C-alpha cells in the first residue's frame, strides 16, 4: 500500500521508515512560529521553566500582525512586551508590521515542500499549498516545541478532495473553498488531513491554492495539502535559492474517503452568518443590504485578489452608503499594488487601503463591527461576534463578490461587472 | 492520579467556537483576568454564574476556529474543571492536553445530561456519574501517552519531570 504526502512527511520528520494513521509520533519541526496575541504573553513563563533557550533560532519566527497598529493601550502593551521578549531571548526572525504571518512566511521562503511547519494560529494550514505539512497549535505546546524542537502528533487519516473542470469567469478559489466547506461541513474533516487534487487544482495559481489550504481548517482539518508540482517549484525559485524537495502521494495511497467536485458549473458562493458551512449561491442571496465590505487578510488579500477586485472597481465609485476596507496580505503585496497602479484604483473608487495586518478579521482592531452591522468579507470566518458586536453579521465571499457588492451596497453577483 | 471532579453541568450546543468561548475583543484582558471572557460570546455574565468545579457539557466540534489557548484558559480560570463533549476541534483538544485540562468525549452523556445536573467525573477512567439522575456514562479513554501528560498536570510539568534531554536524539 502506498503512502500519502502527509504520511511521508511525518515519517521523515519522526525518523521512521513509515507511519500509519493513528500512530503517535514525535516529529522534528522545520519551522515554528508565533504571534503577539497568543505568543510570549501566554507562554513566556512556561518557556522559562524549560530553560528559556530557543532550540534553533534559525527555525523560529515571531510576527506582530494581529494587534498592529494598536488601538488601545492594552494592545500596545502586548506589542511592546512581545518586542522586548523577542530581544531578550535572541529571536532571529522577527517580523513587525510586515503583514499576516501566513503570507509573510511564504514570501520569506520558510514554507517548502516536505517541511513540518507548526504555528500558534489555526490558519497555519496555509503552508500546505506549497506541499508542506503545516498545522496549528496553542501557546503551551509552542513553549514546549520552542525549547525542544519537537512536537507530538497523531498521524491523521487523509481525505482526497478531487476537482475536475475549469472555473468559469467570475468564480475564484474562495468559491472553491466555500463549496468544499459547505459540502463537508464545519467539523467534517476534524483531525484529518485534506489533500486537494485534480486538474482544476493543477491549473490553479499558487495564490488560489493558498486560499484552499488556508480555509482547510474551516472544515476542522489538521492540514490542507497540495502535492507540489512544476508550478510550485517555479514559484519557490523566485524566493529561495536552495534545492527543492520533491515529495508526492503515491498513486495507491490509502484515503479514508474521496470527494469529487467539478468546477465547470460552480457559481460565486456566499457563506451566510454565523457559520462557514452555511453556503448559498450568490443568486440565492443577491440583494441583501450591506453596510460595507472587506477585501484582504491572510485569506483574501493576495495580489491576485487585489487585481480581481481592482478590475471591478476600476473607474467606478463604491455606493455612497457603503464603506470598503482593503487590506493587503503583506507589505510586499502593498508595494506591488502601488507599483502596478492598484492603490490608485481603490482610492479613486472610494476604498480605504490600510497597511498589511490581520485587520478587524479576528476582532482586535481597525474596523470592528457595530451592533447589527452587515459586512461582506473576503476573510475566513463569519462566527458570531468574530469581528466585533455579537449582533453584527458577516457574509463570506470572494474578493470579486466583495468588490461588486461595494458598488451596489448590497450582495451582488460579480459576473454582472465582468 | 487525577482527582475526581464534582460540579454542576452547564449545557451548550454544537460548534461552540473559540470566538464564543473567548471573544477576540476580550483577548486583550491580562491573562490573570481572562476568566471574565469565559463563554462571553454567548453570555457575558457566565463567569459570575458558575462555581468552582463546574463542568461544561457540549455537543459536536467544541472549540472550533482559532488556536487561541486563551479559550480553554478562560474556562479554567473562570472555575470550570472539566468539559464533556461529543468531540472537540483539533487544536482545542491539543490545548487541553497541553494545559492538563480534563476533557472527555462521550455522546451518551450529552444526550442525557440536563443543565444543572450534579456530575462527578473520574477522568482517568473516562467515567461520568450523573448524581441528579443516578446514571453513569462511559467516555472515550485516552491513549496512555495522554494519560501521562494529564497525570503530570500538563505538558510542561510532564517534560520537566521526564527531562528535555529524553526527547533529543
Amino acid at each position: 500500500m502506498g503512502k500519502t504526502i502527509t504520511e511521508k512527511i511525518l515519517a521523515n520528520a519522526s525518523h521512521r521508515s513509515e507511519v500509519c494513521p493513528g500512530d503517535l509520533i514525535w516529529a522534528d519541526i522545520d519551522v515554528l512560529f508565533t504571534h503577539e496575541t497568543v505568543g510570549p504573553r501566554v507562554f513566556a513563563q512556561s518557556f522559562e521553566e524549560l530553560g528559556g533557550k530557543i532550540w534553533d533560532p534559525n527555525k523560529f519566527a515571531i510576527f506582530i500582525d494581529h494587534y498592529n497598529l494598536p488601538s488601545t493601550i492594552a494592545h500596545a502593551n502586548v506589542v511592546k512586551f512581545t518586542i522586548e521578549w523577542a530581544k531578550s531571548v535572541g529571536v532571529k526572525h522577527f517580523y513587525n508590521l510586515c503583514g499576516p504571518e501566513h503570507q509573510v512566511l511564504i514570501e520569506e521562503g520558510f514554507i517548502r515542500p516536505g517541511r513540518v511547519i507548526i504555528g500558534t494560529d489555526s490558519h497555519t494550514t496555509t503552508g500546505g499549498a506549497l506541499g508542506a505539512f503545516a498545522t496549528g497549535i496553542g501557546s503551551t505546546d509552542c513553549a514546549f516545541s520552542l525549547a525542544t524542537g519537537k512536537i507530538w502528533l497523531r498521524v491523521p487519516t487523509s481525505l482526497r478532495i478531487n476537482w475536475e473542470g475549469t472555473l468559469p469567469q467570475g468564480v475564484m478559489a474562495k468559491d472553491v473553498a466555500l463549496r468544499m466547506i459547505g459540502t463537508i461541513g464545519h467539523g467534517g474533516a476534524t483531525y484529518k488531513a485534506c489533500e486537494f487534487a485534480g486538474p482544476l487544482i493543477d491549473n490553479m495559481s499558487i495564490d488560489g491554492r493558498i486560499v484552499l489550504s488556508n480555509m482547510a481548517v474551516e472544515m476542522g482539518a489538521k492540514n490542507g495539502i497540495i502535492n507540489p508540482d512544476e508550478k510550485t517549484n517555479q514559484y519557490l525559485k523566485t524566493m529561495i535559492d536552495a534545492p527543492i524537495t520533491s515529495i508526492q502521494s503515491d498513486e495507491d495511497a490509502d484515503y479514508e474517503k474521496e470527494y469529487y467536485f467539478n468546477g465547470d458549473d460552480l457559481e460565486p458562493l456566499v457563506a451566510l452568518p454565523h457559520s462557514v458551512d452555511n453556503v448559498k449561491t450568490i443568486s440565492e442571496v443577491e440583494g441583501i443590504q450591506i453596510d460595507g465590505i472587506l477585501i484582504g487578510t491572510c485569506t483574501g488579500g493576495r495580489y491576485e485578489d487585489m487585481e480581481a477586485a481592482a478590475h471591478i472597481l476600476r473607474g467606478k465609485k463604491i455606493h455612497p452608503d457603503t464603506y470598503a476596507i482593503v487590506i493587503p496580505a503583506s507589505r510586499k503585496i502593498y508595494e506591488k499594488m502601488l507599483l502596478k497602479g492598484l492603490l490608485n484604483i481603490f482610492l479613486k473608487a472610494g476604498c480605504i487601503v490600510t497597511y498589511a495586518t490581520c485587520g478587524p478579521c479576528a476582532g482586535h482592531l481597525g474596523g470592528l463591527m457595530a451592533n447589527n452591522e452587515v459586512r461582506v468579507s473576503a476573510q475566513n470566518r463569519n462566527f458570531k461576534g468574530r469581528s466585533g458586536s455579537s449582533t453584527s453579521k458577516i457574509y463570506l465571499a470572494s474578493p470579486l463578490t466583495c468588490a461588486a457588492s461595494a458598488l451596489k451596497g448590497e450582495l451582488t453577483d460579480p459576473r454582472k461587472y465582468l | 492520579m487525577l482527582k475526581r471532579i464534582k460540579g454542576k453541568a452547564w449545557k451548550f450546543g454544537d460548534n461552540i467556537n473559540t470566538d464564543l468561548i473567548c471573544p477576540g475583543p476580550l483577548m486583550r484582558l491580562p491573562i490573570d483576568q481572562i476568566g471574565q471572557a469565559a463563554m462571553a460570546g454567548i453570555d457575558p455574565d457566565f463567569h459570575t454564574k458558575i462555581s468552582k468545579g463546574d463542568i461544561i457539557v457540549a455537543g459536536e466540534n467544541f472549540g472550533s476556529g482559532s488556536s487561541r489557548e486563551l479559550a480553554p484558559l478562560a474556562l479554567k480560570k473562570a472555575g470550570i474543571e472539566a468539559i464533556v463533549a461529543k468531540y472537540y476541534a483539533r487544536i482545542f483538544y491539543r490545548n487541553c492536553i497541553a494545559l492538563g485540562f480534563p476533557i472527555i468525549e462521550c455522546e451518551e452523556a450529552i444526550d442525557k445530561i440536563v443543565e444543572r445536573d450534579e456530575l462527578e467525573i473520574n477522568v482517568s477512567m473516562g467515567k461520568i456519574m450523573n448524581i441528579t439522575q443516578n446514571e453513569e456514562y462511559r467516555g472515550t479513554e485516552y491513549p496512555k501517552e495522554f494519560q501521562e501528560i494529564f497525570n503530570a498536570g500538563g505538558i510542561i510539568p510532564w517534560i520537566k519531570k521526564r527531562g528535555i534531554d529524553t526527547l533529543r536524539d
Side-chain angles (χ1 to χ4, degrees):
Chain A
M1 181 61 78
K3 292 290 174 188
T4 67
I5 181 171
T6 295
E7 289 156 3
K8 287 183 181 184
I9 296 173
L10 295 180
N12 287 340
S14 58
H15 312 284
R16 296 182 184 205
S17 56
E18 65 167 43
V19 294
C20 296
D23 288 352
L24 277 174
I25 58 164
W26 285 103
D28 289 344
I29 296 173
D30 295 305
V31 179
L32 178 72
F33 67 93
T34 189
H35 57 80
E36 76 281 29
T37 67
V38 295
R41 69 180 286 229
V42 185
F43 70 57
Q45 197 190 326
S46 297
F47 179 58
E48 200 54 44
E49 284 181 39
L50 298 184
K53 192 170 176 298
I54 300 174
W55 100 101
D56 184 347
N58 291 315
K59 295 180 177 174
F60 176 64
I62 189 160
F63 295 82
I64 300 187
D65 51 3
H66 285 66
Y67 283 5
N68 257 334
L69 293 168
S71 300
T72 71
I73 294 166
H75 289 111
N77 283 334
V78 170
V79 168
K80 185 161 181 282
F81 174 82
T82 310
I83 294 170
E84 287 170 356
W85 178 87
K87 275 187 190 150
S88 74
V89 299
V91 171
K92 187 176 168 189
H93 300 296
F94 182 76
Y95 299 94
N96 190 7
L97 279 166
C98 297
E101 53 203 352
H102 309 299
Q103 177 63 18
V104 179
L105 283 161
I106 290 171
E107 291 174 356
E108 295 294 319
F110 285 103
I111 312 293
R112 301 181 193 181
R115 281 190 166 179
V116 173
I117 313 288
I118 304 293
T120 61
D121 192 281
S122 58
H123 294 104
T124 301
T125 54
T126 309
L130 297 174
F133 172 85
T135 196
I137 57 165
S139 314
T140 301
D141 272 331
C142 185
F144 179 95
S145 295
L146 192 54
T148 63
K150 292 185 185 290
I151 181 171
W152 70 260
L153 290 169
R154 184 152 50 182
V155 178
T157 57
S158 290
L159 303 177
R160 189 170 165 104
I161 307 176
N162 302 287
W163 276 89
E164 301 282 331
T166 43
L167 292 182
Q169 214 191 11
V171 180
M172 300 185 75
K174 179 63 170 281
D175 301 302
V176 172
L178 290 176
R179 168 49 69 223
M180 292 189 278
I181 298 165
T183 304
I184 295 169
H186 177 42
T190 302
Y191 309 134
K192 301 178 205 305
C194 282
E195 190 174 319
F196 308 115
L200 188 143
I201 309 295
D202 296 341
N203 293 325
M204 190 179 268
S205 67
I206 298 291
D207 274 6
R209 294 178 185 182
I210 293 171
V211 178
L212 308 188
S213 292
N214 176 279
M215 291 197 69
V217 73
E218 307 312 332
M219 305 183 274
K222 185 169 205 156
N223 62 321
I225 198 162
I226 296 172
N227 281 284
D229 58 8
E230 193 43 40
K231 201 179 271 181
T232 319
N233 291 345
Q234 289 305 324
Y235 182 85
L236 285 168
K237 274 182 191 161
T238 62
M239 47 194 77
I240 56 174
D241 183 24
I244 296 158
T245 318
S246 172
I247 191 162
Q248 296 281 327
S249 290
D250 293 325
E251 292 276 330
D252 59 343
D254 191 25
Y255 295 94
E256 183 187 301
K257 191 170 177 183
E258 297 213 33
Y259 289 89
Y260 294 90
F261 293 94
N262 194 314
D264 287 342
D265 44 13
L266 195 63
E267 286 186 62
L269 299 173
V270 179
L272 275 53
H274 299 285
S275 178
V276 284
D277 58 3
N278 190 7
V279 176
K280 306 272 183 221
T281 62
I282 184 70
S283 22
E284 291 175 278
V285 292
E286 216 178 2
I288 291 175
Q289 292 287 310
I290 61 165
D291 294 297
I293 66 124
L294 186 158
I295 297 166
T297 77
C298 68
T299 307
R302 262 162 284 280
Y303 187 74
E304 186 179 281
D305 301 318
M306 296 300 168
E307 217 175 16
H311 180 71
I312 284 195
L313 295 170
R314 185 189 301 268
K316 298 193 179 73
K317 290 266 181 217
I318 64 168
H319 191 277
D321 297 334
T322 307
Y323 63 80
I325 310 169
V326 177
I327 311 175
S330 75
R331 185 183 278 257
K332 284 192 177 157
I333 294 169
Y334 194 115
E335 282 174 16
K336 194 170 173 187
M337 288 166 67
L338 176 68
L339 287 171
K340 300 274 188 180
L342 264 55
L343 280 189
N344 238 341
I345 295 171
F346 285 121
L347 293 174
K348 283 190 174 155
C351 305
I352 295 159
V353 184
T354 79
Y355 47 90
T357 165
C358 302
C361 172
H364 301 306
L365 46 81
L368 295 187
M369 295 174 71
N371 295 343
N372 303 311
E373 186 176 331
V374 180
R375 180 181 290 170
V376 191
S377 176
Q379 71 193 59
N380 44 48
R381 290 195 179 122
N382 60 350
F383 299 158
K384 194 174 180 203
R386 169 76 181 169
S387 301
S389 164
S390 60
T391 58
S392 63
K393 292 189 178 75
I394 302 166
Y395 291 82
L396 302 180
S398 75
L400 275 176
T401 303
C402 292
S405 301
L407 291 176
K408 285 194 77 176
E410 57 188 43
L411 268 168
T412 302
D413 190 334
R415 294 172 296 187
K416 291 176 179 165
Y417 290 94
L418 295 171
Chain B
M1 285 300 285
L2 285 169
K3 60 172 183 162
R4 280 165 182 241
I5 295 158
K6 201 172 169 181
K8 279 192 304 295
W10 294 88
K11 280 204 86 173
F12 295 91
D14 293 338
N15 298 312
I16 303 299
N17 61 62
T18 50
D19 281 298
L20 298 172
I21 301 169
C22 179
L26 294 178
M27 285 172 70
R28 67 174 186 276
L29 287 169
I31 303 300
D32 57 358
Q33 292 169 34
I34 201 74
Q36 293 169 32
M39 291 293 179
I42 294 170
D43 176 2
D45 297 325
F46 181 73
H47 68 104
T48 64
K49 295 177 182 169
I50 56 176
S51 314
K52 193 164 169 50
D54 282 357
I55 295 156
I56 283 185
V57 177
E60 294 178 354
N61 203 18
F62 188 82
S64 69
S66 160
S67 69
R68 63 186 72 152
E69 193 170 295
L70 299 178
L73 213 51
L75 298 177
K76 199 175 174 181
K77 294 216 182 258
I80 295 291
E81 287 195 352
I83 309 171
V84 183
K86 287 193 179 171
Y87 72 89
Y88 299 86
R90 193 197 133 253
I91 308 178
F92 189 91
Y93 184 84
R94 256 204 101 93
N95 282 340
C96 291
I97 293 170
L99 289 169
F101 185 24
I103 50 172
I104 296 182
E105 288 177 321
C106 181
E107 283 226 28
E108 188 194 4
I110 313 313
D111 297 332
K112 294 190 171 165
I113 294 168
V114 178
E115 176 119 325
R116 312 265 173 150
D117 274 359
E118 198 70 28
L119 307 179
E120 188 174 329
I121 293 184
N122 181 323
V123 181
S124 26
M125 293 172 74
K127 211 163 75 175
I128 305 152
M129 278 154 288
N130 189 331
I131 298 164
T132 312
Q133 297 191 39
N134 195 25
E135 287 182 334
E136 190 180 304
Y137 324 108
R138 274 290 164 126
T140 321
E141 272 184 51
Y142 291 107
K144 69 171 185 349
E145 291 89 343
F146 296 176
Q147 287 267 11
E148 265 182 39
I149 297 175
F150 272 116
N151 288 340
I155 200 161
I156 302 296
W158 175 79
I159 192 65
K160 277 171 72 181
K161 208 163 113 190
R162 194 178 137 142
I164 286 189
D165 291 338
T166 59
L167 285 180
R168 294 200 176 123
D169 298 326

